Amino acid sequence: WKKELYGFDALQVRPWLDRVARTQTDLDFYELCVEYIAALKDTHSSYVLPSNFLAQLGLTLDIYEGKVLIEGINRTLLPIASFPFVLGDEVVSLDGVEAEAWIQSLVKYVPQGNERASRRLAANYIGFRPQSRIPKAPEVGEQATVVIRRRSGALETYTMRWVKSGTPLTVGPIPRFGSQAAQKSGSATQKPDYLEELERLQYSGVKPENPENGLLGYGQRNPVYLAGLGASFTRRLGGAPADFFFSGVFQHQGMTFGYLRIPSYSPPSIAVALQQLDQEIEFFEANTDGLIVDQMRNPGGSL
């Protein structure tokens, strides 16, 4: 169905091998691998490097009504005295390149099941560059020039430092999978050290405590727009440590609506989660006129 829907045949590798032959460095080759996997347009298919290097500006970004807006600011990296912009201001450009152009160039690193989801993740990668996803992330400079449009409409330009952490993936010989001495001693089946980091990255998508994409509220029980639910909102679940869901009811135009947030598909206890779900659905069916199911930034899981 990938061939029918996207026109991509993963088994037609000759054009890709021709491009491989023209690559000049290992990082060029890794970039090509990213592009090949991204052509599947699949949330569960991605090319991940065993690197913990990260470069970040301290901004969390997302797309709202077609604009790249700031929804999170690390005030340790961007103190308000020097960077007075606030949540909801718009990022117009970085280093002279407009936000839309950045999204188009970064979208291949975060393939999702649909274009809108891919674009939203790519928008956040404007100021968040993990080498696990972006092979050439270590090539960012020491600082970036960011143009921000305030809510008043005024354009302001800031110089921000790329804060770098971790160890960049180096270009060199292919690692050997265990030495001859290890093979002779019978310990060749022991995992190489670098696999620990790779496995952490592979499963980070279903571990809310370690989101690799930096998105606000990723896998968290409480919604990021909690205050926006309105004064009439009455919470049911979400106040106790054992509550897996966040739920409640609110009034709107003379009707009563239920609200149920599913933060992930990895509850600590499946039995407890199912019991709470049955309880809430039974209540909503008896007491509400409609139901909103919120799966915003649900990292998935296995149930």
Side-chain angles (χ1 to χ4, degrees):
W1 67 271
K2 297 292 184 180
K3 291 190 289 185
E4 294 179 1
L5 186 61
Y6 300 127
F8 176 65
D9 187 347
L11 300 182
Q12 295 296 326
V13 297
R14 173 51 54 191
W16 294 96
L17 293 178
D18 291 342
R19 294 178 63 185
V20 167
R22 296 193 294 271
T23 59
Q24 300 296 314
T25 69
D26 286 357
L27 294 183
D28 290 339
F29 171 69
Y30 299 152
E31 287 278 352
L32 192 58
C33 292
V34 167
E35 185 178 340
Y36 171 78
I37 296 299
L40 291 169
K41 301 183 187 297
D42 195 315
T43 303
H44 293 93
S45 302
S46 58
Y47 187 78
V48 181
L49 293 178
S51 171
N52 64 355
F53 175 85
L54 171 65
Q56 58 179 321
L57 296 177
L59 295 174
T60 303
L61 308 175
D62 200 354
I63 300 175
Y64 293 87
E65 298 181 346
K67 298 179 180 180
V68 176
L69 303 187
I70 300 171
E71 66 168 19
I73 304 172
N74 185 330
R75 286 302 184 190
T76 301
L77 303 180
L78 302 169
I80 195 168
S82 302
F83 303 94
F85 47 78
V86 297
L87 304 185
D89 287 344
E90 177 187 1
V91 171
V92 177
S93 67
L94 183 145
D95 289 339
V97 179
E98 293 187 355
E100 176 59 32
W102 277 114
I103 291 172
Q104 293 179 16
S105 67
L106 293 168
V107 73
K108 68 179 180 181
Y109 300 111
V110 282
Q112 301 293 297
N114 63 74
E115 182 181 3
R116 184 182 180 190
S118 299
R119 285 175 51 81
R120 292 179 63 193
L121 283 175
N124 191 58
Y125 272 32
I126 292 174
F128 182 82
R129 308 287 177 88
Q131 193 186 21
S132 59
R133 293 283 187 171
I134 306 175
K136 294 187 177 182
E139 296 181 0
V140 298
E142 294 303 313
Q143 60 187 28
T145 301
V146 182
V147 177
I148 293 178
R149 178 178 286 113
R150 304 296 299 276
R151 294 187 186 183
S152 65
L155 291 177
E156 299 174 352
T157 301
Y158 298 91
T159 299
M160 302 181 188
R161 181 171 64 94
W162 282 108
V163 179
K164 303 175 183 180
S165 60
T167 304
L169 182 67
T170 57
V171 178
I174 297 174
R176 297 185 63 184
F177 288 83
S179 64
Q180 291 183 355
Q183 293 173 5
K184 290 179 180 179
S185 66
S187 60
T189 57
Q190 184 177 353
K191 291 182 181 179
D193 292 340
Y194 60 82
L195 277 183
E196 181 179 350
E197 177 64 18
L198 178 60
E199 291 179 350
R200 182 189 69 80
L201 293 167
Q202 286 175 330
Y203 293 101
S204 64
V206 294
K207 293 182 178 179
E209 72 275 10
N210 185 31
E212 69 164 40
N213 54 33
L215 288 177
L216 187 67
Y218 190 70
Q220 294 183 2
R221 182 183 64 186
N222 289 7
V224 296
Y225 48 83
L226 180 58
L229 291 175
S232 69
F233 182 80
T234 301
R235 184 182 65 191
R236 286 178 51 79
L237 294 180
D243 293 343
F244 178 67
F245 301 97
F246 186 97
S247 66
V249 295
F250 65 94
Q251 306 297 317
H252 181 68
Q253 294 184 353
M255 294 183 290
T256 301
F257 288 89
Y259 171 86
L260 178 70
R261 172 163 173 76
I262 307 175
S264 78
Y265 289 112
S266 299
S269 168
I270 294 177
V272 171
L274 291 178
Q275 181 182 20
Q276 291 179 0
L277 179 63
D278 289 342
Q279 167 189 312
E280 292 307 284
I281 294 302
E282 181 178 0
F283 174 85
F284 290 143
E285 286 181 338
N287 297 281
T288 64
D289 301 296
L291 175 63
I292 295 174
V293 178
D294 173 14
Q295 296 192 89
M296 177 180 175
R297 295 176 183 173
N298 182 318
S302 180
L303 204 55

